[in-house]
Amino acid sequence: MDARAELFDLSGRVAIITGGAGLLGGKHIASASGIPVLIDLSLPEAERTARDVADRFGVPARAIRADITNEAEVQVALADVLARHGRVDILLNNAANNPKVEGQSGAAWSRVENLLIEEWEADLAVGLTGAFLCSRVFGSEMARRGCGVIVNVASDLAVIAPDQRIYRNPGLPEEQQPVKPASYSVVKTGLIGLTRYLATYWATAGVRVNAISPGGIYNKQPDEFVRRLTHLIPLGRMAHADEYQGAILFLCSDASAYMTGQNLIVDGGRSAW
């Protein structure tokens, strides 16, 4: 194998991916011959994704159902992975609540004045507490072995505020205009803080911790929303689902061996304006 290719090779490495049934579900790891283990609340969807990944890339991808806000369930997932694979090499904290507001006729529920505390707490529980618990459980195992990588999936909205104008619905009064909820920005910003903390906490234990802040992925959103958002992006478009593969592989592999505690922004230039 070419020496440059070896830097990105994940052969035999076991990667835990939370929110594994989503858009970042395993194929990026499998494309470099890693073994993705998809953790999700929805086992049927995660199993379907795992089968697709296994068929496409020829790796033993699999799925586990677990509630990442419940540490006992995360511990059971770790025991399952160790029994099956004997190791954990990578944790990709990808799970998040991300309720859609684009294209809705009215989404006053998401405004600061109306956001239910239950919604706020649920968003933080999955996106931030869940990431912490998974990092504690899987990260501690990697630290025990003296080797591992954690990648936290943040967002461009961790480094800039949401431009609420892209969600506006003409004709609605201001108090009924849809907005991206505050909890999303808080969760994603918090992940970057968690990244820096864990990177220094486990630095001498051989566990590297970085974050990636991706921009929006095109997923058949309403045309008007896409038009407004792309106007804010220097490259003039949203990302394709596979355009984060290189960045994720870089952070998960030996190619980034001297990188920890950092946030890699991949947003088409949006945060540069």
Side-chain angles (χ1 to χ4, degrees), residues 12-268:
R13 300 187 193 183
V14 178
I16 309 299
I17 305 169
T18 69
L23 292 175
L24 298 182
K27 63 182 180 180
H28 301 328
I29 300 296
S31 68
S33 301
I35 301 170
V37 178
L38 312 183
I39 293 182
D40 206 287
L41 264 178
S42 175
L43 184 59
E45 289 186 28
E47 287 180 330
R48 185 161 50 250
T49 301
R51 285 194 299 270
D52 291 344
V53 169
D55 292 344
R56 180 177 174 185
F57 296 100
V59 298
R62 54 190 292 259
I64 298 175
R65 188 213 172 273
D67 178 355
I68 63 169
T69 69
N70 184 318
E71 187 168 8
E73 293 194 21
V74 179
Q75 290 283 5
V76 170
L78 171 63
D80 184 320
V81 172
L82 293 179
R84 180 73 66 92
H85 303 285
R87 58 191 292 163
V88 175
D89 301 283
I90 299 164
L91 169 63
L92 189 63
N93 279 317
N94 177 56
N97 287 347
N98 185 17
K100 302 302 179 186
V101 295
E102 60 267 21
Q104 294 190 16
S105 58
W109 65 266
S110 61
R111 298 186 67 84
V112 169
E113 297 87 350
N114 303 328
L115 186 65
L116 293 176
I117 193 64
E118 292 83 3
E119 180 73 30
W120 168 272
E121 290 175 344
D123 290 349
L124 267 63
V126 174
L128 203 49
T129 303
F132 172 74
L133 291 176
C134 287
S135 296
R136 176 154 75 181
V137 172
F138 294 108
S140 293
E141 170 61 22
M142 289 188 279
R144 185 189 67 79
R145 289 181 53 236
C147 182
V149 174
I150 297 174
V151 177
N152 293 317
V153 179
S155 166
D156 55 354
L157 299 186
V159 294
I160 58 174
D163 188 335
Q164 307 292 8
R165 294 173 297 181
I166 66 176
Y167 306 104
R168 290 188 68 84
N169 195 317
L172 286 180
E174 191 64 29
E175 65 274 11
Q176 294 181 23
Q177 287 291 343
V179 296
K180 194 75 171 179
S183 51
Y184 185 84
S185 290
V186 170
V187 164
K188 296 304 187 180
T189 303
L191 282 176
I192 295 177
L194 181 64
T195 296
R196 296 190 184 109
Y197 183 93
L198 294 178
T200 53
Y201 184 79
W202 277 323
T204 59
V207 179
R208 296 188 298 109
V209 187
N210 290 293
I212 181 171
S213 283
I217 297 174
Y218 178 71
N219 191 28
K220 299 181 181 178
Q221 293 93 337
D223 291 344
E224 180 59 19
F225 169 81
V226 173
R227 185 192 68 78
R228 291 174 179 175
L229 178 55
T230 55
H231 184 68
L232 303 175
I233 301 172
L235 290 186
R237 61 177 177 84
M238 299 179 72
H240 304 306
D242 60 355
E243 288 190 295
Y244 298 116
Q245 177 175 332
I248 290 174
L249 285 182
F250 170 69
L251 294 176
C252 290
S253 71
D254 294 340
S256 59
Y258 194 58
M259 181 177 177
T260 196
Q262 303 304 310
N263 177 38
L264 182 61
I265 303 172
V266 188
D267 65 352

